[in-house]
Amino acid sequence: MPSVVLSQLPIPRQNFGRRTGNIPLGAACLKQAGRDLAGVAIEILPQHLAAHLGDAALIDHLSQARAEIYGFTVFSWNLTRSLYFAEKLKTAANCRVIFGGPEITPDNALAKSAFVDFYACGEGEAVFRRLLQDPESWRAGSGAESAADVFRAAESPYLSGMIDPAIENLMLIETQRGCPYRCGFCFYNKSRAGLVFAEEGNLLKAVTWAVERKIAEVYLLDPSLNSRPRLKPLLSAIARRNAGGTVRMFSEIRAEAVDEELADLLAAAGFDWFEIGLQSTNPKALKLMNRPTQLKRFVAGARRLKARGITPSIDLIIGLPGDDLRGFMRSVDFVADQGLQDDVQIFPLAVLPGTDFRRRHRELGLEFENQPPYTVTTSRGFAPEDFLLAYDYAESRLNAAFFPMPDLDASWRLGAVQSLAQASDLRVGLGKAAYVAKLMLNRVRPLDGIRRLARRLTQPYQVLVAPDLGDMNYLKEVLAITTSENPFTPLEVVFFEPAGLPGTRDILAALKLSRPHFLDGDLRFLFPQPGNRAALFTLVSGDPHPRFQGEMERQVYWWRGPALPALPDLDPFETLDGILIDAAAAPAAVAAWQDRFGREAAERFHISFADADLQRRWLLLASPDEYVQQVMPWKAG
Ligand code: SF4
């Protein structure tokens, strides 16, 4: 019986337990499409494992499944990691590997690998079924096939239990495939010829299912909701099912299409946020990207949404052909002047495989990174330094932070543990097993044990370095082991009151991370100089003088007073990157402090708590929508 395991690896991030948004909807559609095939067993890598396990632990989990076929949904953020997994799985056992997803395009040479047996371009259901039924079809090595009929008639895979919305408390409903527009930077319009719409009855069934289960959020995956025929009656029907707005609805729309009636219907249906691509107000840039925009109608539509309590989240792009720094600044001014700055997302142009801009990049004068996320580095209008200037301008004009530092979590103890010398590794339960999220180095530990633990690390993970460790060569040996087993997993090294400043360049040189790491490209604007942005260094110290704030470095004040601080007590540490509260107070008193000062403290400072349970409580309190409760509680040892 062919056994299949389908995986989708998440966007790498620096905070453990944060929602990843990595919902394997593509895998669920494939599983649903193949469920009637006799003798085929299809599994999806559980979402909580995909989200929170490091490379080695995930590969071990996948290997143990002994599948004959491994499938990966490939995006720019997981391409190199998926290739690494394919190599490991095929080297270890006789299996076949399929790649599909937006990153798999005929012109993407980076995806080519001897460890991938088949590339499915575009929608996958029909190709997948053929591969499972006809062994000969593997010979082609790649294929594309319309799945319009399957998609149009299919129920949401949530309803058949293929996928569980509980982890992210978010349900994705695919309403349409293909896009009528032809924006030059986008691949979505090329992923299939023509449009296909999910049947209205199935959409309404899915919304009803979400409302009955009180799913917090439903995202209608539609590149432009307004392009759906019979949209207004559909919205009226959704409004009847979601009366009272039990479910918060989200989607994407062209603002120019929003008239008064549509805005009323969207509000009644429960929508409270729309992603709206403006991209630029520069006529030359709009023309080159083939995105005609009527700015007056755009503003009128966005304001109609706002007037009904629906947040228009406006997208802008830096580095578009035809645009320059001044043009970008004018676009930012436009958004601010029109009062549309509540939620603005700004992306550097990504010259994605398969797009018109990629095909015409020479003609358009675009230079870009040849690794994901393919960020443009210069264009005719943008010098390399203009990108940072553009972000600086947008941050000050819109009063926003587009590259915030990761949340602070310098927790290190649990239960009755009082000192770093007594502390041990901190683990989290995921599925039936426990994995190490915080590796404690408060003594020299045998490297064999470190090697074993390196295969049980979470994504991301921390290495906590106590003052007594001292030996930086030993630390480098440990990090070389953990990173060689987990070359794609972001990590943070937290130094507690070290004797001298840690030499981070020296430590970085010892890391066996895959380079360039996706985060190197993705976070290139966090720090102006190139560096390895998949590794973060945090210094926790009782010294209030800033001395450790270079590339991917942050310094945190260690509050070890006998009592908890009042908020004014924290003012002297405003120049640092955060405060670790490690007072000798009872857990109930710390929890009361969190409840009392929570919002105000979180707005002014990056705060962490030494007790890991209280830290998790704090994260859920300060960022209630950002963290996943299921990865609690912690276990020591
Ligand atoms: S950017 Fe949006 S509207 Fe433009 S082609 Fe892509 S999906 Fe369609």
Side-chain angles (χ1 to χ4, degrees):
M1 169 193 284
S3 57
V4 186
V5 176
L6 302 172
S7 304
Q8 178 177 307
L9 304 176
I11 301 174
R13 286 287 173 249
Q14 280 287 6
N15 282 114
F16 179 75
R18 218 180 156 92
R19 287 169 80 179
T20 61
N22 186 51
I23 297 175
L25 183 67
C29 290
L30 296 184
K31 183 173 177 182
Q32 181 163 271
R35 68 180 161 172
D36 62 325
L37 297 177
V40 179
I42 304 168
E43 295 297 327
I44 298 174
L45 174 65
Q47 217 172 308
H48 60 287
L49 299 184
H52 303 301
L53 289 192
D55 302 330
L58 260 186
I59 289 167
D60 287 349
H61 179 88
L62 289 170
S63 300
Q64 280 157 18
R66 297 186 191 287
E68 288 167 55
I69 300 168
Y70 290 95
F72 290 86
T73 308
V74 184
F75 296 86
S76 69
W77 58 80
N78 65 24
L79 169 64
T80 47
R81 193 175 183 219
S82 299
L83 285 166
Y84 173 78
F85 276 40
E87 178 177 350
K88 289 283 174 191
L89 292 167
K90 277 193 74 91
T91 309
N94 184 18
C95 61
R96 285 189 283 195
V97 172
I98 312 173
F99 272 18
E103 190 72 3
I104 303 308
T105 64
D107 67 343
N108 190 357
L110 280 184
K112 296 285 176 273
S113 162
F115 300 101
V116 179
D117 299 276
F118 198 93
Y119 296 90
C121 297
E123 54 199 332
E125 290 95 332
V127 178
F128 183 61
R129 279 181 66 89
R130 188 158 45 77
L131 289 170
L132 293 178
Q133 290 172 295
D134 174 13
E136 285 301 304
S137 58
W138 288 83
R139 286 177 180 275
S142 67
E145 201 171 323
S146 168
D149 293 341
V150 181
F151 171 69
R152 196 180 293 114
E155 268 188 4
S156 162
Y158 287 91
L159 274 62
S160 46
M162 303 289 152
I163 185 169
D164 180 359
I167 292 182
E168 304 262 334
N169 210 357
L170 165 67
M171 179 173 170
L172 306 179
I173 301 180
E174 206 181 6
T175 57
Q176 170 185 336
R177 288 186 184 171
C179 178
Y181 304 106
R182 289 284 172 270
C183 307
F185 55 84
C186 178
F187 177 69
Y188 193 82
N189 54 39
K190 299 240 169 24
S191 60
R192 74 181 319 285
L195 305 182
V196 54
F197 298 96
E199 277 177 8
E200 189 173 307
N202 282 333
L203 290 183
L204 292 174
K205 244 168 109 177
V207 170
T208 306
W209 190 90
V211 171
E212 285 172 358
R213 280 157 190 78
K214 297 192 169 45
I215 308 299
E217 298 172 352
V218 165
Y219 199 115
L220 294 192
L221 283 178
D222 190 314
S224 254
L225 191 60
N226 52 284
S227 63
R228 187 179 173 88
R230 287 183 33 82
L231 176 63
K232 288 179 177 174
L234 173 69
L235 291 172
S236 300
I238 292 177
R240 285 193 292 279
R241 285 157 180 80
N242 191 25
T246 311
V247 170
R248 294 171 63 205
M249 307 281 294
F250 307 90
S251 192
E252 299 172 34
I253 203 162
R254 294 295 289 254
E256 297 98 302
V258 179
D259 58 21
E260 296 289 344
E261 185 192 5
L262 183 58
D264 282 340
L265 288 166
L266 291 168
F271 283 89
D272 75 355
W273 184 94
F274 268 101
E275 183 165 357
I276 299 179
L278 173 60
Q279 320 309 2
S280 175
T281 56
N282 181 334
K284 195 171 164 199
L286 289 168
K287 186 156 193 277
L288 281 171
M289 75 173 105
N290 191 28
R291 199 179 161 96
T293 302
Q294 297 176 37
L295 292 177
K296 273 195 183 149
R297 285 185 61 198
F298 178 95
V299 171
R303 284 189 178 155
R304 285 183 187 116
L305 294 175
K306 247 190 107 162
R308 287 155 179 86
I310 301 173
T311 303
S313 173
I314 312 287
D315 294 346
L316 293 174
I317 297 180
I318 307 175
L320 285 163
D323 201 13
D324 56 18
L325 180 58
R326 288 202 167 282
F328 173 77
M329 288 159 72
R330 278 196 295 273
S331 301
V332 172
D333 289 341
F334 176 85
V335 171
D337 292 344
Q338 300 300 332
L340 299 176
Q341 71 275 45
D342 308 67
D343 185 1
V344 180
Q345 305 189 65
I346 295 184
F347 305 96
L349 177 66
V351 187
L352 298 172
T355 62
D356 281 351
F357 279 2
R358 171 65 78 97
R359 190 173 51 77
R360 298 169 57 208
H361 68 94
R362 285 197 187 83
E363 171 200 336
L364 295 170
L366 297 172
E367 287 181 30
F368 56 95
E369 296 285 358
N370 64 0
Q371 295 282 326
Y374 314 110
T375 310
V376 69
T377 51
T378 51
S379 71
R380 295 205 176 104
F382 285 86
E385 61 275 15
D386 287 347
F387 291 87
L388 264 185
L389 294 173
Y391 270 113
D392 284 348
Y393 183 77
E395 290 199 336
S396 63
R397 186 72 172 84
L398 302 171
N399 193 23
F402 292 104
F403 291 97
M405 283 293 273
D407 292 336
L408 182 61
D409 176 356
S411 62
W412 57 270
R413 62 178 161 83
L414 203 58
V417 168
Q418 294 291 329
S419 69
L420 274 160
Q422 299 171 332
S424 52
D425 301 331
L426 291 180
R427 295 166 190 260
V428 286
L430 288 164
K432 292 184 185 137
Y435 297 88
V436 178
K438 291 171 182 270
L439 182 67
M440 174 57 74
L441 295 185
N442 47 8
R443 62 190 188 286
V444 170
R445 301 168 62 172
L447 292 178
D448 277 353
I450 297 291
R451 241 171 238 115
R452 277 194 298 280
L453 289 173
R455 298 204 71 81
R456 310 289 299 166
L457 289 171
T458 57
Q459 166 173 265
Y461 64 95
Q462 291 179 318
V463 177
L464 308 182
V465 185
D468 300 341
L469 187 76
D471 184 349
M472 285 297 124
N473 286 328
Y474 171 73
L475 173 64
K476 284 191 278 182
E477 278 187 87
V478 168
L479 293 174
I481 292 170
T482 60
T483 50
S484 65
E485 296 286 358
N486 299 279
F488 292 87
T489 306
L491 73 152
E492 180 179 6
V493 186
V494 187
F495 298 94
F496 291 86
E497 210 70 84
L501 280 187
T504 51
R505 271 185 182 278
D506 198 26
I507 296 171
L508 270 175
L511 301 184
K512 308 288 183 201
L513 284 169
S514 162
R515 289 171 168 127
H517 192 280
F518 175 79
L519 289 180
D520 266 332
D522 194 41
L523 300 181
R524 59 183 296 126
F525 302 110
L526 185 60
F527 292 118
Q529 300 298 321
N532 201 317
R533 299 173 183 103
L536 179 64
F537 298 96
T538 299
L539 174 77
V540 179
S541 167
D543 180 355
H545 302 102
R547 57 197 173 109
F548 190 74
Q549 292 178 312
E551 302 291 303
M552 295 302 282
E553 295 176 354
R554 60 183 176 182
Q555 184 179 338
V556 172
Y557 183 74
W558 198 353
W559 179 277
R560 278 183 289 181
L564 290 159
L567 279 192
D569 295 336
L570 302 179
D571 289 344
F573 314 119
E574 245 171 346
T575 51
L576 298 182
D577 302 297
I579 299 146
L580 172 64
I581 296 183
D582 196 1
V590 179
W593 189 98
Q594 292 179 345
D595 292 338
R596 183 165 168 215
F597 295 114
R599 290 246 164 258
E600 197 184 339
E603 271 170 26
R604 291 186 53 205
F605 307 99
H606 289 287
I607 288 187
S608 179
F609 292 84
D611 181 285
D613 281 338
L614 288 165
Q615 168 69 19
R616 187 60 76 201
R617 182 182 191 277
W618 171 249
L619 290 173
L620 292 169
L621 192 75
S623 312
D625 297 330
E626 305 297 332
Y627 283 85
V628 180
Q629 299 222 14
Q630 284 89 334
V631 293
M632 296 194 299
W634 292 94
K635 300 169 186 175

